[in-house]
Amino acid sequence: MKPSNFSITEWPEKTLFSRQETARILEVGVSTLDSLIPYSELPRTIIHKRVLIHRKDLENYIASCRTTGLGGTK
C-alpha cells in the first residue's frame, strides 16, 4: 500500500469527501473510520446510498483531536 500523504488542503474546492478520501486524510483504514469514530464525533451525510463527510465536520473533528504539550488536551 502506498503511503497516504493526503491533506484536506489538497482539495480547497471540495465540500464533501467520500469515506475512502476521509480515511486517507486521517491516515486510518475505512473500517477504523466506520467502527472507531462515532457519528456523533464525525457526522456523515448519505446521498443516494453514498456516505459522505462534509468538509466542516472533518475540520472540526481534526481540531477536536489536537493536543498541546505532553498529555494535555487542546
Side-chain angles (χ1 to χ4, degrees):
M1 190 173 196
K2 289 163 80 174
S4 59
N5 294 332
F6 277 34
S7 169
I8 196 169
T9 58
E10 288 184 35
W11 298 291
E13 72 288 349
K14 276 189 89 126
T15 302
L16 297 170
F17 293 92
S18 69
R19 288 170 39 247
Q20 292 79 10
E21 290 168 333
T22 301
R24 290 176 77 178
I25 290 167
L26 296 176
E27 297 185 18
V28 299
V30 175
S31 60
T32 299
L33 176 69
D34 291 340
S35 65
L36 295 181
I37 302 173
Y39 281 70
S40 60
E41 290 182 33
L42 184 58
R44 289 131 204 197
T45 302
I46 299 173
I47 299 174
H48 296 289
K49 297 184 182 181
R50 289 191 64 210
V51 178
L52 302 165
I53 291 86
H54 193 277
R55 169 183 288 278
K56 201 59 164 165
D57 291 329
L58 181 54
E59 289 171 346
N60 290 340
Y61 176 75
I62 292 169
S64 74
C65 293
R66 291 183 67 166
T67 61
T68 58
L70 297 173
T73 58
K74 301 180 186 165

